[in-house]
Amino acid sequence: MSKWKEKIMDNKQINELAASLREYSIACRRKIHRFAEIAAHEVKTSAFIQQEIQALGLPYEKVSTTGLMAILDTGRPGPHIALRCDIDALPFPEEPNNLMRPKVCVSDDPNTCHACGHDAHSAILLSTMKALVSQKDQLNGSIYFCFEEGEEFGTGYQGMLDALAKRPVDVCYGMHMLASLETGTVNIEAGPRMASTFEMQMKILGKSGHSSRPDLAHNAVFCAANIVTNLGSVWINAFPSGEALPLGITTIQGGGVYNAFPEHAFINGTVRYYNEELGKKAEETIRKVAVNTADMYDCSVEFTDEFYHMGEGPLVNDLHYSTLAYNRIKQILPEGAMVHCPPWIATESFGFYCKKYPAVFAFIGIKNDELGSGADHHNAFFDVDENALDIGIKSALGFVDAVQKEKQ
Amino acid sequence: MSKWKEKIMDNKQINELAASLREYSIACRRKIHRFAEIAAHEVKTSAFIQQEIQALGLPYEKVSTTGLMAILDTGRPGPHIALRCDIDALPFPEEPNNLMRPKVCVSDDPNTCHACGHDAHSAILLSTMKALVSQKDQLNGSIYFCFEEGEEFGTGYQGMLDALAKRPVDVCYGMHMLASLETGTVNIEAGPRMASTFEMQMKILGKSGHSSRPDLAHNAVFCAANIVTNLGSVWINAFPSGEALPLGITTIQGGGVYNAFPEHAFINGTVRYYNEELGKKAEETIRKVAVNTADMYDCSVEFTDEFYHMGEGPLVNDLHYSTLAYNRIKQILPEGAMVHCPPWIATESFGFYCKKYPAVFAFIGIKNDELGSGADHHNAFFDVDENALDIGIKSALGFVDAVQKEKQ
């Protein structure tokens, strides 16, 4: 095993590396943007990434269906860092314009599009990989470049975690473009940064009957309505004020004949949470309220399996590594680049990585009023300001550098 | 104008008349049962009734589409009595069996059936007409035989009321088979005997949004649920305990996507009432609760025209004429035949007659466990015990006789 390398990247070097990769990163992003392939079907995207890995001479393995992990092993002792991105698109048509003007490129597939920024994530990780391979002789330990397929539908994370489990891993790093943050800014904060979610699906079993005699029926409609309102009442008493725990009851369905009570009614919705314990308590609370309310109406309630799916867990940034990353990236980027932002209440399969490893997830700003980027994620007008690719590369390099320096 | 006739029917005469009409009434009932034609389409039924009227030599007029009114004018002064029945069937297939055995006859039309007893009502009125024509010389005043089409769908009552409006009318009499009463029994009581109803239909207008941010949406689902439960709370405080005013909320519909709030939700249902004033207050209460609850959620609410339809008004038996009928029919039927029963919370277009004229509505028992009759109205197993036809004829004759005697 070779000796530990003393010389690590300085700010100038990182800025130069990123600048030299500007064209490459934009080309990668546009290529993947045009492919726009959905979960487990990222065939062209995966082939392109594989080709880039091969061009760098890195060993790699295929993960799940279309995921890939490339390994940069310096042969020297040192930290084992996983850098992860997602590569899948969304199953709806893209608007050719963003909020202001025509987009610089649009999906080749009229039914899919990269409306969440995974094209940019992939381009940043490909560029970061290229940069780090070029600096291989200055690095220690190993770096895993994780191209996760199917983030949107959850098809790729387990394979990637299994692939990582075969190797030593000290820390994971991921990133997400964030439409609400200005281009040029980066957010890295310790604590919960993205939510976890579970879906509730319940069926209320009543007894049908004529509307003139509610007493002879067990009215599932009234029961369902009361489950909803009781949830509202219990909710504000069951959980600490100030904890984000949105009760999103999106569907209530029962009946259809004007003068007859139905046999069944249905309630659907989601709960999001940043705190695993509260998420579990929320599920128990829903059960308790539903079962007891149903009993009040001589109804009963069934929960579907979906209810049990507790999601990926909240995405919680590690305090130590977040601080380390924040401090290092702050030195690299212009003053004022590191900003605060509230947690994003969307969910991310990177939450699974956070459950298992110390991890850092960076939000990279892409909002640019002049260019017209800033439409929300999963919106057909969503667009990436490509100037953010440079920031994303510098942030990833800064993170790797910080961890490497710490482990010296 | 001839002189007032002194001789009116005695009990023996009425019993003999009814006995002589037994076969005729059964034949009429079976014929009409087989026709089983729905509202405004009672073509064969109407032609048959017309033929029977013509055979008796009575003047008549066609009313609405298929309704008929025959007039027995004695030419003498005296009471003007309207005897009314309904003639339409229901739009669903008949079960060939009743609760015990094969029915004595079933509908010729596989998609319609007389599952409410209107075939029996028609047979009773045809037989009563035949009996009274045979006693014409003993009678005073005039009798209108009203065969109302389309009671179930409300297509025939207005035409019949218009036809009656052209003539003097002192009192109306109607009848309904009642599946919950034993054959041989009759119920005539003063006060509310059948309900009125209105249908409520409301649309809650909210604002859609993602389930993670209820605060950015106006959740029509939660609002609709709360309108329902608030109605329950307000209801028990707004109305006198003991008044039948069933709040039948049969439908609640909103949403469908697990993680998105819908724009709209819908609530449907009925309210039945025996007291016109409370019916109006119930409508106002629903409006008030819905509008205020919607405002609490930054939603608004729209009511469809259906909401305004206040129905036929409760069917309220006149105190004087009900007592008169009760006393007279009690003398004719065997001891114990006149029974009490609670109001029937179904609705009847005869309620419109009660609004305009003093009126009496008799319930005629048809439940017979041995024969298998007793299935509920509008149920495919519903069957009439034909022994009740005799009771129905005697009751109608008794009513006419009582009014005639009173007006002497």
Side-chain angles (χ1 to χ4, degrees), chain A residues 180-378:
Chain A
S180 57
L181 280 189
E182 297 289 334
T183 302
T185 65
V186 171
N187 169 270
I188 295 176
E189 281 181 59
R193 303 309 294 149
M194 291 185 73
S196 188
T197 190
F198 65 83
E199 184 184 347
M200 65 177 111
Q201 285 192 350
M202 65 180 91
K203 179 179 182 179
I204 294 98
L205 295 87
K207 190 179 137 198
S208 60
H210 193 270
S211 65
S212 61
R213 295 298 300 268
D215 56 311
L216 299 181
H218 302 158
N219 188 354
V221 168
F222 225 109
C223 176
N226 208 352
I227 288 173
V228 172
T229 55
N230 281 347
L231 278 172
S233 304
V234 171
W235 214 254
I236 57 152
N237 289 289
F239 302 105
S241 178
E243 286 282 351
L245 198 72
L247 173 66
I249 299 179
T250 54
T251 304
I252 188 165
Q253 299 280 7
V257 180
Y258 84 103
N259 64 351
F261 301 115
E263 284 283 321
H264 305 131
F266 300 87
I267 296 172
N268 255 50
T270 65
V271 172
R272 307 229 163 194
Y273 54 95
Y274 292 115
N275 175 320
E276 195 96 44
E277 212 175 296
L278 289 185
K280 285 199 179 104
K281 190 176 171 191
E283 191 189 317
E284 282 159 26
T285 300
I286 290 169
R287 257 174 221 291
K288 197 158 56 176
V289 169
V291 167
N292 284 299
T293 306
D295 192 46
M296 283 158 48
Y297 288 86
D298 292 324
C299 292
S300 60
V301 64
E302 280 175 3
F303 303 99
T304 67
D305 283 351
E306 289 296 316
F307 189 81
Y308 299 92
H309 173 64
M310 293 293 290
E312 43 282 274
L315 189 160
V316 182
N317 270 351
D318 180 76
L319 175 59
H320 170 74
Y321 282 106
S322 298
T323 312
L324 194 72
Y326 178 91
N327 289 337
R328 181 70 188 96
I329 298 167
K330 193 175 194 295
Q331 295 167 352
I332 300 164
L333 298 181
E335 206 179 316
M338 300 306 288
V339 296
H340 163 72
C341 79
W344 187 17
I345 205 147
T347 61
E348 237 290 349
S349 66
F350 195 72
F352 287 112
Y353 297 73
C354 299
K355 263 189 178 168
K356 198 163 172 191
Y357 303 110
V360 174
F361 202 63
F363 292 141
I364 313 288
I366 51 168
K367 185 173 179 341
N368 185 327
D369 289 342
E370 269 179 56
L371 295 179
S373 61
D376 205 6
H377 298 260
H378 292 212

Side-chain angles (χ1 to χ4, degrees), chain B residues 79-119:
Chain B
H80 304 287
I81 304 172
L83 302 180
R84 173 269 195 188
C85 76
D86 39 18
I87 66 172
D88 56 321
L90 287 158
F92 56 82
E94 179 164 23
E95 283 290 333
N97 294 307
N98 61 27
L99 296 176
M100 284 289 289
R101 60 183 73 188
K103 295 178 179 175
V104 295
C105 69
V106 293
S107 172
D108 289 341
D109 184 331
N111 296 313
T112 64
C113 66
H114 269 291
C116 198
H118 299 191
D119 51 343

